[in-house]
Amino acid sequence: MNGSDILMALAALALAPLIGGILRGLDRILTARMQGRIGPPLWQPFYDFIKLCAKSKKASHRGPVVWAWAYLVLTVTAWLLFVLRQDLLILLFILAFAGASLALGAFSVRSPYAHFGAYRELLQMLAYEPILLLAAVAIFLKTGSFMVGDVLGFEQPLLISLPLTLVAVLIALGIKMRKSPFDIAASEHAHQELVRGVYTEYSGPTLALIELTHWYELVLVLGIISLFWVIPLWVGIIIALSCYFLEILIDNITARLRWSWMLTVGWSLGVGLILLNIVIVEFFGLGLRL
Amino acid sequence: MPRITFPFGPQHPVLPEAIQLQLTCEDEKVVEVTPVIGYMHRGIEKAAEGNPFVNNVFLCERVCGICSFMHALTYCQLIEGLMNINVPPRAKYLRVFWSELSRIHSHMLWIGLLADALGFESLFMQCWRAREVILDVLEMTTGQRVIQSSCVIGGVRRNIDGELAKTVFNLLDEFKKQWDAISPVVQKDYTIRARTEGKGILPKEQAWELGIVGPTLRASGWAHDCRLLGYAAYGELGFQPVVEEGCDSYARTLVRVREVDQSLELAYKALNNLPEGEIAVKVKGFPEGEAAVCVEQPRGELFEYARGNGTPHLERLKIRTPTFANIPALLVMLPGSELADVPVITLSIDPCIACTER
Amino acid sequence: MRDINIDKTELGFRVKELIDDKARFITATCIDEGEFFEVIYHFEKDSELVNLRTRINKEEELTSISSIILGAALSENEMKDFFGIKIKDIAIDFKGRMLLSEESPVTPLLKLK
């Protein structure tokens, strides 16, 4: 690791929450506009964050606080691996572990809301992890490497040969962003049967910590999506942002569905699409030379 | 997974009312339900004994914040029955008009809450925005948005005529436009149907035996509607109750959606056919004897019983609100359902706990 | 409105008869009449109101009809809350604490002497 890498890592560490927070602010404005409201200012997520930090530290138990930190540290690690152009597979596994620590945090208290939320969080992971892993495999089959650096160096845009994979990753993005119809373990606002599911027992600074982690997570997942068109990179970023917009749109025109439905969609549609994509690319050679 | 007792309420964001359902769950399956009420009992029946009977109109109105007009109407009809008062026809039509507006705004509120419980926020906002138009009409014609106080013993307090009627028609047209955009979504949206169809089944025979009322009963295939008794001007206006055979939450949603259309039609009809004449008669004397009336509220049949003793104070006033009769339905619908469906099923009876406990 | 005056012992039998006749239970009202309680069970039968009236001494005990109509359990609990009337074998018995809480006054609807 050389000096420029360290500088870049530091910049990424500082910029990701900023971008993530702005994106969340945009989300809230867009959502409001779609519902015919004006919505909060763009900086509202940051105001919320600061306000949460200023609250007194009240926790029902020390366990969830520790797991919240684990969630943050692991997500940040995954983000750094991404920025430093490391192995996509390791990155995804670390991300999975981060998600698991959120569920474990909820399991470490005795609140039934948190427990049910944790069960559902695990089910959600069961739904989206195969999609993300298979997407990584599809990328590997195309580029011959799991390294983000190699993907970045790959000349041909991945989207041309892996369009179905992107659609599948969109499903994973929806689950990760906790948007309808996938806001099952914890919806964004508390109007759900589990109140806020896995987050129910968090408050004040610890909740702020989780909010911060969400920003990292959002930027990371959008980053992975932008890998589908890296040369020039701005096209990839636009693709990622349009995916984000699409998620917000879908959130507003659907109701929440059940976890069994989510698993079916994740496994049949998500996994199916990627497998189909791999088969087309590998065995029929389509999309190899375009 | 061991059994977990899951407290649903009394303070739960999905259910903005103070009822607690203690759900015993196995995995995500609900195996046992115990409803706990008593968080907001206000002793209205006791207070009604201490008040002069004329003042009780305003007390009864405060039983519920949504269908307040119907509570006042029921009490007025009860006392009018006791004292043999003949209400002028114009007042009867105006009572129908306001009753139907109350029903529309209650149903719009409910559809919004259902959408909110399903995580369908944009529909929620739309419904409540459309409801504002109705509340504007109510405010314009009675002076108040929610507790209208326009119904008194012997008639009504406000008249609708000339310019005001024109404005009201314009606002109703405006509402109709908004509603026509919302109603197909509620009826046809895939996600709403997926979450409500086949959920919270209340079999036809059981619904009757439990004494269920209102849209919940009509969604189980019974053409039971107190408006058929022809109180106020319903006998002259004529109407057919909305009946669905589905017995599930989706059928209950459909009943309410179709009732909004029906109520709108009745409101137009009542206002178009307003007879000329007085809007109230003077009340003399004190109530004596016994009377009981049923009125169809947005949530179902509201039953009131009173006994007067020839003094300004009633001997006893009994109010049985529709939700009180509908709570046993939850004991049938919830066991065996999935935890994720509990909010939808609970909402499908349109619980009004403030009414229930009075 | 049709009134049927009955004795407390035939209550269960009369209710069963009405239910078999496709009547629908509406509610039950209790009235304090000094020495007695008057308990009225309201039913709807063919769009007509049918009242089953029974008078009992304040010390006497009524048998719950909730085994015949589950829906009556709430009404019976309510009477128990408000009047302290003795009703045995209610399907879900809240023991006079359904609408009232531990701190609230007991039997608030009894008339003051």
Side-chain angles (χ1 to χ4, degrees), chain A residues 212-247:
Chain A
L212 182 68
T213 318
H214 281 328
W215 297 347
Y216 275 110
E217 206 177 56
L218 178 64
V219 175
L220 174 58
V221 179
L222 289 181
I224 293 175
I225 289 179
S226 60
L227 282 184
F228 279 85
W229 200 302
V230 285
I231 296 170
L233 193 58
W234 59 267
V235 179
I237 292 173
I238 286 177
I239 290 175
L241 289 180
S242 14
C243 289
Y244 185 64
F245 179 76
L246 192 66
E247 284 303 338

Side-chain angles (χ1 to χ4, degrees), chain B residues 35-39 41 45-46 49 205 208-213 217 222 224 229 290-292 294 301 303 305 307 315-316 318-320 324-325 327-328 331 356-358, chain C residues 1 3 19 22-33 38 40 42 44 47 49 53 69-71 74-75 78 82-83 92 94 97-101 108-111:
Chain B
V36 180
I37 55 176
Y39 294 97
H41 173 61
E45 283 178 15
K46 182 71 184 172
E49 287 173 16
E205 286 308 316
W208 187 261
E209 279 159 20
L210 280 171
I212 307 305
V213 294
L217 183 64
W222 291 91
H224 181 274
L229 298 172
E290 276 183 319
C294 295
E301 170 205 67
F303 173 87
Y305 166 90
R307 179 181 285 184
E315 177 109 358
R316 174 94 169 91
K318 161 88 185 173
I319 306 170
R320 201 291 321 263
F324 195 87
I327 283 180
L331 300 178
T356 307
E357 302 186 3
R358 309 171 304 281
Chain C
M1 199 151 97
D3 284 312
I19 292 297
K22 288 281 155 224
R24 187 176 59 91
F25 176 75
I26 297 176
T27 192
T29 308
C30 183
I31 299 161
D32 179 13
E33 294 192 324
E38 178 166 355
I40 313 173
H42 307 276
E44 183 203 325
S47 303
L49 191 68
R53 288 164 188 271
I69 320 156
L70 179 65
L74 289 182
S75 302
E78 190 191 273
F82 289 167
F83 293 91
I92 314 163
F94 290 89
R97 285 283 176 271
M98 182 174 80
L99 291 173
L100 304 178
S101 67
L109 257 73
L110 281 182
K111 295 260 188 299

Side-chain angles (χ1 to χ4, degrees), chain A residues 35-37 112-113 115-116 119-120 180 189-195 251-259 261, chain B residues 1 6-7 12-14 27-28 116-122 125 129 190-191 194-195 199 338 340-341 343:
Chain A
Q35 296 171 356
R37 294 183 285 122
Y113 301 110
H115 269 224
F116 276 107
Y119 274 108
R120 293 190 182 177
S180 295
H189 62 126
H191 289 204
Q192 202 225 29
E193 65 272 15
L194 298 181
V195 190
D251 178 42
N252 270 296
I253 56 171
T254 54
R256 180 188 314 116
L257 288 168
R258 277 176 302 274
W259 61 264
W261 184 86
Chain B
M1 187 175 168
F6 189 89
H12 195 288
V14 174
D27 282 329
E28 290 231 355
D116 186 47
L118 291 172
F120 201 150
E121 289 89 21
S122 51
M125 296 281 173
R129 194 173 297 121
Y190 167 74
T191 45
R195 288 301 304 277
K199 309 290 171 209
E338 266 189 62
D341 294 326

